[in-house]
């Protein structure tokens, strides 16, 4: 075994290098070989002649550090060495602050038991109890362990502690791995014989996992997890308000019940939040805003996508050093996507981009199995443009600042903990050996295995990239491959004149040889012979057809989750939390002339989640996709999907039970509304002494329905269940906005029209399950004849691309007129979604959402040439060919650079939690696709 040549002397007497290390080594160092006897650690020593990189100040080419009782007492060039100090000569070595890993589970090697809870025994809010392993709703919390502290029950026998220490890490943020909320973290030093000796500082920050399946039940989808996070914080706010009021004046008040789950969340407690790319980072920011808690993002390898958002928010970032890479020996047929290839190319650039933008960040070992590979990964970031000084800071002082412990660790300064690393060479050189690690003033020599033949020198082996695929550490040769623009509008002209087309206005007939003038996203004029304003872009549409952009009233595109099927009422969850702006299905829909979609929750429960009406502004972030001022909605569902067998069984299992669930939910919402009405009726003075009612996301949503502020879109098939729902709704003064699918609507069309509900149906789907046996293709036309506002929807990522032809089928089967057929996919769905004054027709003042067809839109020859959203050109059949060629060129260059047609790796898994969680949209087979 090879040991450090570090020398020591006491009062000028020099000792042999090996003896000095033995004298200074901590007896419990797992790296060192067992020695028969060792002297006590000297309480006081000095390291001289070292090149010192303090990080917080200028480099000292030759200096001295004095340590006593685990604390740095002096640092400088001409430091006076106390007479009783051991003196260690570090000539040829460079001293750095000990490295800090700002995220992980060191000291907690095995997942904790998954039984959660809050206040103790029993069920209910914060309760565990014997059934805590299955969560029946937000009131159960088997995935929450906020009261657990990582500083407690640390396992000093976790062999990763010595492994990380040998890699130069002296401190780490320890968190527990299990649960959606595993508990609070703690900064620990990586040496000690007792768990409490490791603790530097318990930290109040709470780790969040977005994928945690140690328990069954609610939540079982990504949107359910977001609702879970919000409700927990809203409960904590109520708990804090109740206790604050009680503590201010306990006399005459009922004492609130103590809840160990909510107690740690009182106040603004920071959250460690997983986020990989732009959409996840924006979700983290929105969650922070909604719950009122600061956020530290971990993961962020695709942070290069969100530099602007991070700069504006000042959000600290912990970057996973396990750079994405092609898998070794992957399936040659499994070609990586462009997004994956871009991550291989640009992820190592993230640190440099964040540094240039002034975004605080630190390096985290993340998915690395061997921390000794970390320096090679950091070197990759330096090669990609990060300055060496910033790289060293990201391993030391930056994580200390982010975690709020820079007053004790992270730099070499007098008064700080003596956590130091001595390197023979440059820290950022993966081949430079780490000689000694000092933790709490105790030295730990690092022993290196004998070098593989033909590698290394002086008995040292290769330090960098030893355990993982070296592709993550070594940048492939070649210049960086720039990213082409693969999304967003092709043109954004302030003024556009579409001239000499057949303009199918839908609302006011068809104009042959007509013109449409677009100004600042709105339709400014419609007619014949319009003059082109100065600077306008003129589009010659001779021989072409212009119609309003198609609107799909029932879609599941652009969402990372669809069903929260674990409960029978999931009104607390919402599609807005999981909008996927990267779903290419939106662009394909644009190619079919679609400009607006209603993204609905699935049909797993009688009352599902909240919807999101989107404009297909391909390339925009999730908030910009939302149709501004569109009335909010929610999905209800009836029939077979709701009552099918589940494990465990979930009420209801009959159609009678479905109506019971809906009725009871409305009764609960009435009581909730009454509670808030009573509070709001209080005088300002009385409110100062009162605690506002507990905010309940589920009941809050249902109360909006009762107040007429939220539209109901109800999945339905059979005539009897349709009537049942309409009558139940009328009991509470609720009007159903739309019946979705409504395949037997022709049987009860008069009742639907009398109620005032719309109907959004398929054109000609039938007999694909029992409750669809009586479906007929005449349904849409028959309902329309009886006065129902009817639309044709897709419920499909494929059918949405030819909804114009689906509408045309109503002309064949039901004898609908051309205008009526067009209304089925334009103005009628706009009316159903509450945006009929904005879109769905070509009229002055409406949004310029238009589709330009070559060939009549209601024929098989109709093909989309252009699609405009808010007057911007988001699809153009000719420009699409140019963009595709550019994209294929970038992809080919990336494939050639990173390994042609090799299979991608899976998402990085860290400490048992996937940073970008696999979506669990439903407990239904294929979710809503089953119709």
């Amino acid at each position: 075994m090879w040991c450090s040549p570090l020398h020591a002397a006491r009062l000028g007497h020099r000792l042999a290098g090996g003896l000095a290390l033995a004298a200074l080594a901590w007896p419990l160092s797992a790296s060192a070989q067992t020695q028969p006897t060792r002297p006590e650690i000297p309480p006081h020593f000095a390291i001289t002649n070292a090149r010192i990189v303090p990080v917080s100040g200028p480099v000292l080419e030759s200096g001295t550090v004095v340590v006593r009782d685990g604390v740095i007492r002096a640092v400088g060039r001409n430091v006076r060495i106390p007479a009783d100090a051991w003196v260690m000569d570090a000539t040829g070595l460079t001293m750095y602050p000990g490295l800090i890993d700002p995220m992980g589970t060191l000291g907690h090697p095995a997942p904790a038991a998954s039984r959660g809870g809050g206040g103790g025994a029993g069920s209910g809010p914060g309760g565990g109890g014997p059934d805590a392993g299955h969560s029946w709703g937000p009131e159960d919390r088997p995935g929450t362990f906020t009261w657990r502290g990582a500083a407690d029950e640390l396992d000093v026998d976790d062999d990763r502690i010595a492994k990380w220490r040998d890699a130069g890490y002296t401190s780490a943020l320890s968190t527990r791995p299990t649960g959606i909320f595993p508990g609070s973290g703690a900064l620990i030093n990586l040496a000690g014989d007792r768990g409490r000796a490791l603790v530097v500082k318990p930290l109040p920050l709470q780790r969040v996992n977005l994928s945690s399946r140690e328990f069954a039940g609610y939540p079982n989808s990504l949107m359910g997890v977001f609702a879970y996070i919000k409700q927990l914080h809203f409960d904590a706010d109520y708990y804090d308000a109740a206790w604050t009021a009680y503590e201010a004046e306990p006399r005459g008040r009922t004492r609130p019940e103590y809840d160990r789950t909510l107690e740690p969340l009182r106040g603004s407690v920071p959250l460690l939040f997983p986020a990989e790319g732009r959409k996840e980072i924006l979700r983290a920011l929105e969650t922070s805003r909604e719950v009122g808690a600061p956020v530290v993002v971990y993961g962020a390898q695709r942070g290069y996508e969100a530099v602007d958002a991070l700069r504006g928010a000042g959000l600290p970032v912990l970057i996973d050093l396990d750079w994405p890479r092609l898998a070794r020996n992957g399936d040659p047929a499994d070609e990586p996507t462009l997004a994956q290839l871009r991550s291989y190319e640009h992820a190592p650039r993230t640190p440099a981009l964040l540094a240039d933008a002034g975004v605080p960040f630190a390096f985290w070992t993340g998915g690395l199995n061997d921390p000794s590979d970390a320096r090679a990964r950091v070197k990759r970031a330096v090669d990609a443009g990060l300055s060496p000084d910033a790289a060293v800071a990201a391993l030391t002082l930056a994580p200390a600042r982010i975690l709020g412990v820079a007053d004790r660790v992270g730099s070499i300064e007098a008064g700080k903990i003596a956590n130091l690393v001595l390197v023979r060479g440059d820290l950022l050189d993966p081949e430079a050996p780490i000689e000694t690690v000092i933790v709490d003033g105790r030295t730990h020599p690092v022993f290196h295995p004998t070098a593989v033949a033909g590698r290394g020198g002086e008995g040292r082996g290769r330090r960098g990239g030893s355990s993982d695929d070296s592709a993550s550490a070594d940048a492939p040769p070649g210049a960086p491959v720039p990213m082409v623009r693969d999304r967003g509008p092709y043109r954004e002209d302030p003024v556009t004149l579409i001239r000499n087309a057949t303009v199918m206005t839908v609302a006011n007939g068809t104009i042959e040889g007509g013109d449409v003038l677009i100004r600042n996203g709105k339709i400014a004029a419609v007619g014949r012979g319009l003059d082109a304003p100065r600077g306008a872009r003129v589009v010659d549409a001779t021989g072409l057809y212009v119609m309003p952009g198609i609107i799909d009233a029932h879609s599941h595109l652009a969402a990372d989750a669809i069903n929260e099927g674990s409960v029978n009422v999931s009104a607390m969850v919402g599609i807005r939390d999981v909008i996927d702006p990267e779903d290419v299905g939106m662009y394909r829909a644009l190619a079919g002339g679609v400009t607006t979609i209603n993204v609905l929750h699935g049909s797993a429960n009688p009352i599902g989640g909240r919807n999101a009406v989107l404009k297909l502004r391909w390339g925009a972030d999730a908030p910009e996709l939302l149709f501004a001022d569109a009335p909010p909605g929610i999905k209800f569902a009836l029939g077979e999907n709701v009552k099918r067998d589940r494990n465990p069984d979930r009420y209801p299992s009959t159609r009678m039970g479905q109506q019971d669930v809906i009725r009871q939910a409305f009764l609960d919402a009435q009581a909730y509304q009454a509670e808030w009405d009573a509070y709001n009726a209080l005088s300002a003075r009385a409110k100062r002494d009162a605690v506002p009612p507990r905010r309940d996301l589920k009941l809050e949503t249902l109360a909006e329905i009762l107040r007429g502020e939220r539209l109901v879109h109800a999945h339905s098939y059979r005539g009897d269940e349709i009537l049942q729902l309409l009558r139940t709704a009328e009991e509470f003064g609720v009007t159903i906005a739309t019946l979705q699918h409504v395949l037997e609507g022709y049987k009860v069309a008069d009742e639907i029209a009398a109620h005032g509900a719309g109907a959004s149906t398929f054109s000609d789907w039938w007999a694909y399950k029992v409750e669809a046996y009586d479906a007929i293709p005449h349904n849409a036309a028959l309902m329309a004849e009886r006065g129902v506002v009817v639309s044709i929807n897709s419920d499909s990522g494929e059918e949405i691309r030819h909804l114009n032809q689906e509408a045309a089928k109503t002309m064949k089967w039901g004898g609908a007129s051309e205008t009526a057929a067009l209304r089925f996919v334009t103005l009628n769905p706009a009316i159903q979604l509450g945006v009929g004054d904005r879109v769905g027709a070509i009229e002055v003042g409406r949004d310029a959402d238009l589709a330009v067809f070559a060939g009549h839109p209601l024929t098989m020859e109709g093909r989309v040439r252009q699609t405009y959203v808010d007057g911007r050109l988001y699809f153009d059949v000719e420009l699409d060919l140019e963009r595709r060629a550019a994209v294929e060129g970038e992809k080919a260059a990336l494939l050639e650079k990173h390994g042609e047609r090799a299979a991608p790796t899976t998402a990085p898994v860290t400490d048992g939690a996937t940073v970008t969680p696999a979506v669990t949209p439903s407990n239904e087979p294929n979710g809503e696709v089953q119709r």
Side-chain angles (χ1 to χ4, degrees):
M1 300 291 286
W2 177 85
C3 65
S4 167
L6 188 65
H7 296 292
R10 189 173 188 271
L11 299 178
H13 180 65
R14 295 195 175 276
L15 301 175
L19 177 60
L21 281 178
L24 293 174
W26 198 353
L28 290 171
S29 171
S31 303
Q33 292 180 333
T34 303
Q35 301 293 323
T37 59
R38 293 182 182 179
E40 290 295 322
I41 183 76
H44 198 181
F45 64 89
I47 303 173
T48 62
N49 301 320
R51 180 175 181 269
I52 301 175
V53 182
V55 179
S56 58
V59 174
L60 303 176
E61 292 302 328
S62 180
T64 298
V65 172
V66 177
V67 175
R68 180 188 288 275
D69 298 328
V71 177
I72 299 171
R73 302 298 178 177
V75 182
R77 290 187 181 87
N78 301 306
V79 171
R80 178 180 173 276
I81 301 175
D84 62 341
W86 285 71
V87 178
M88 296 183 288
D89 182 7
T91 299
L93 301 180
T94 301
M95 182 188 301
Y96 295 88
L99 310 187
I100 301 173
D101 200 352
M103 175 67 180
T105 59
L106 298 183
H108 295 285
S114 61
R115 287 186 63 173
S123 59
D131 298 324
H134 187 92
S135 174
W136 290 103
E139 66 278 3
D140 297 328
R141 303 185 184 122
T144 300
F145 308 95
T146 50
W147 71 92
R148 285 183 175 171
D152 301 324
E153 301 174 2
L154 285 164
D155 182 358
V156 296
D157 294 324
D158 183 351
D159 58 7
R160 296 176 300 164
I161 291 176
K163 191 176 183 181
W164 255 248
R165 189 176 63 235
D166 284 353
Y169 287 92
T170 58
S171 304
L173 177 72
S174 179
T175 64
R176 295 173 182 266
T178 304
I180 296 174
F181 285 87
S184 61
L187 185 76
I188 63 172
N189 274 349
L190 302 186
D193 58 347
R194 295 170 299 170
R196 63 190 184 204
L198 274 61
V199 178
V200 175
K201 183 180 181 180
L203 298 173
L205 56 80
Q206 292 277 341
R207 174 175 175 172
V208 174
N209 293 324
L210 297 183
S211 179
S212 182
R213 300 310 306 147
E214 294 83 12
F215 61 92
Y218 178 83
N220 76 345
S221 71
L222 183 59
M223 60 182 162
V225 172
F226 276 103
Y228 185 100
I229 291 169
K230 293 176 193 177
Q231 188 63 64
L232 187 68
H233 278 84
F234 296 154
D235 288 349
D237 290 343
Y238 173 75
Y239 177 83
D240 181 56
W243 272 103
T244 299
Y246 178 78
E247 289 163 346
E249 182 52 70
R251 289 179 298 181
R253 290 184 182 271
T254 301
R255 184 181 72 258
E257 183 176 308
Y258 171 77
D259 189 322
R260 67 173 180 174
T261 301
L262 302 178
E263 187 70 29
L265 295 179
R266 295 181 67 178
S268 184
V269 178
L271 301 179
L272 273 170
F273 209 93
E276 194 60 37
R278 184 177 183 88
K279 71 176 179 180
E280 296 93 357
I281 289 170
L282 291 178
R283 286 172 185 168
L285 287 169
E286 179 61 18
T287 301
S288 173
R289 184 193 65 79
E290 286 195 56
V291 304
V295 164
V296 177
V297 161
Y298 65 91
Q301 290 193 334
R302 299 201 321 275
Y304 59 86
E305 300 172 344
V307 175
D308 57 332
L310 291 167
R311 180 197 294 117
L315 189 73
V317 179
L318 309 180
I319 302 174
D320 183 350
L321 280 170
D322 189 19
W323 306 125
R325 61 204 183 277
L326 294 169
R328 306 176 75 178
N329 304 317
D331 183 352
D334 190 3
E335 183 177 293
T337 65
L338 177 61
Q340 289 169 329
L341 288 168
R342 283 178 171 174
S343 72
Y344 306 156
E345 177 78 355
H346 299 291
R349 297 180 57 231
T350 294
L353 294 172
L354 296 185
D356 291 344
V359 176
F361 73 93
F363 288 127
W364 163 46
T365 54
L368 294 177
N369 293 319
D370 189 341
S372 66
D373 294 325
R375 289 196 290 154
R377 307 307 193 266
V378 174
K379 177 64 164 51
R380 176 93 179 266
V382 172
D383 293 342
L386 182 66
S387 73
D389 289 347
V392 173
L395 289 165
T396 54
L397 188 55
R401 285 173 172 164
I402 290 172
L403 298 177
V405 292
D407 57 346
R408 62 202 72 186
V409 292
S411 61
I412 303 176
E413 297 180 70
K416 289 193 173 183
I417 296 171
N419 287 353
L420 307 167
V421 176
L422 289 160
V423 182
R424 187 164 296 279
D426 193 312
L427 178 68
L428 299 182
D429 177 5
E431 301 293 337
I434 293 174
E435 303 285 8
T436 300
V437 178
I438 299 173
V439 183
D440 275 322
R442 308 292 181 98
T443 61
H444 299 268
V446 179
F447 290 85
H448 304 287
T450 303
V452 177
R455 295 292 314 243
E458 298 182 327
R460 295 189 296 273
R462 185 173 188 267
R463 249 65 84 195
S466 58
S467 64
D468 287 356
D469 186 342
S470 62
S472 177
D474 302 328
V481 177
M483 287 186 285
V484 302
R485 191 178 187 196
D486 64 330
R487 61 195 65 193
Y490 291 97
R491 299 191 63 90
E492 301 182 71
D493 303 292
V495 182
T496 300
L497 177 62
I498 302 174
R499 176 174 281 169
N500 201 30
T502 299
V503 181
M504 311 173 84
T505 69
V506 173
N508 300 299
T510 297
I511 305 172
E512 299 291 343
D515 305 336
V516 180
L517 179 65
I518 302 169
R519 189 187 300 276
N520 298 325
K522 298 288 186 179
I523 297 173
V526 183
R528 294 189 181 92
L530 299 181
D531 293 330
R534 180 177 296 177
R537 176 169 180 79
V538 178
V539 177
D540 183 2
T542 302
L544 303 180
Y545 294 78
V546 179
M547 64 173 284
I550 293 171
I551 299 170
D552 189 354
H554 189 131
S555 176
H556 300 295
L557 290 178
D560 279 333
I562 297 300
N563 267 310
E564 178 53 63
S566 59
V567 290
N568 55 24
V569 178
S570 61
M572 59 283 195
V573 310
I575 294 293
R576 285 191 178 203
D577 290 330
V578 293
I579 293 171
D580 178 13
E582 300 167 7
D583 185 353
V584 72
M586 288 191 291
Y587 184 69
R588 293 169 180 156
L590 284 163
V594 179
T595 56
T596 297
I597 60 175
N598 181 29
V599 186
L600 288 169
H601 184 278
S603 56
N605 26 24
I607 300 180
R610 304 186 296 272
N611 73 325
V613 179
L614 306 183
K615 282 219 183 183
L616 299 187
R617 303 179 180 109
W618 173 238
D621 293 322
E624 285 72 48
L625 290 174
L626 293 169
F627 196 128
D629 301 324
I634 190 171
K635 177 75 172 291
F636 280 30
L638 311 172
E640 293 180 12
N641 290 9
V642 175
K643 66 184 187 65
R644 64 177 52 156
D645 287 340
R646 288 173 171 81
N647 185 20
D649 288 338
R650 190 204 72 191
Y651 182 79
S653 59
T654 66
R655 285 176 166 80
M656 291 185 296
Q658 293 168 18
Q659 299 308 313
D660 175 58
V661 167
I662 294 169
R663 181 177 287 106
Q664 186 60 54
F666 282 157
L667 290 171
D668 292 343
Q670 284 181 335
Y672 178 79
Q673 184 64 53
E675 188 177 3
W676 273 99
D677 288 344
Y679 172 78
N680 290 327
L682 296 174
S683 66
R685 182 175 181 179
K687 280 184 179 178
R688 286 197 297 269
D689 298 326
V691 177
R694 170 182 173 268
R695 185 180 177 188
D696 187 306
L697 279 175
K698 180 177 73 174
L699 296 177
E700 182 177 276
T701 302
L702 296 173
E704 290 170 351
I705 299 172
L706 296 178
R707 297 196 301 266
E709 297 171 1
R710 185 173 293 275
L711 306 179
V712 175
H713 305 289
H715 165 112
S716 58
Y717 282 80
R718 288 179 13 181
D720 56 344
E721 69 186 12
I722 291 169
L723 292 179
Q724 199 176 30
L725 174 64
L726 298 182
R727 290 164 181 164
T728 301
E730 287 166 359
E731 287 181 33
F732 296 88
V734 171
T735 299
I736 303 299
T738 67
L739 295 160
Q740 297 289 323
H741 308 322
V742 61
L743 295 190
E744 292 187 14
Y746 64 93
K747 296 181 179 180
V748 290
D750 289 338
E751 289 81 0
I752 295 172
H755 177 84
S760 186
T761 188
F762 297 134
S763 59
D764 59 354
W765 291 24
W766 58 78
Y768 50 89
K769 61 179 178 177
V770 172
E771 61 185 358
Y773 278 8
D774 280 0
I776 58 175
H778 312 77
N779 187 40
L782 289 174
M783 287 190 293
E785 287 177 6
R786 308 306 295 180
V788 179
V789 176
V790 176
S791 67
I792 300 292
N793 67 55
S794 77
D795 194 16
S796 162
E798 188 280 327
E799 186 154 314
I800 194 173
R801 294 184 286 173
H802 49 87
L803 275 174
N804 55 306
Q805 294 169 351
E806 299 305 306
K809 294 176 182 178
T810 63
M811 300 171 68
K812 171 181 174 58
W813 294 109
S817 68
E818 178 181 288
T819 298
L822 287 172
R823 285 180 64 105
F824 288 156
V825 290
T826 55
L827 188 55
N828 284 8
I831 293 170
Q832 291 174 348
L833 299 179
V835 292
D837 59 339
R838 293 273 305 277
V839 292
I842 300 178
E843 288 184 307
V844 174
R846 289 178 179 266
D847 296 353
D849 293 1
L850 306 169
V852 180
F853 279 79
H856 196 291
L858 297 177
T859 67
M860 294 298 292
E861 288 73 33
R863 292 174 291 113
V864 175
R865 299 283 300 179
Q866 293 182 325
T867 305
Y868 293 84
V869 180
D870 298 323
R872 297 170 178 162
L873 183 62
Y874 275 92
F875 177 77
D876 183 285
V877 71
E878 294 174 353
L879 296 178
D880 171 76
L881 295 176
E882 296 179 13
R883 181 173 284 182
R884 275 196 277 173
V887 167
E888 288 303 316
E890 179 190 353
K891 188 171 182 180
L894 290 170
L895 281 169
E896 181 178 1
K897 184 174 182 179
H898 290 271
E900 187 175 2
R901 309 187 83 83
T905 57
T906 57
V909 176
T910 59
D911 301 311
T914 306
V915 172
T916 304
V919 175
T920 308
S922 170
N923 61 357
E924 308 290 324
N926 300 321
E928 177 66 10
V929 177
Q930 298 234 346
R931 314 286 180 252

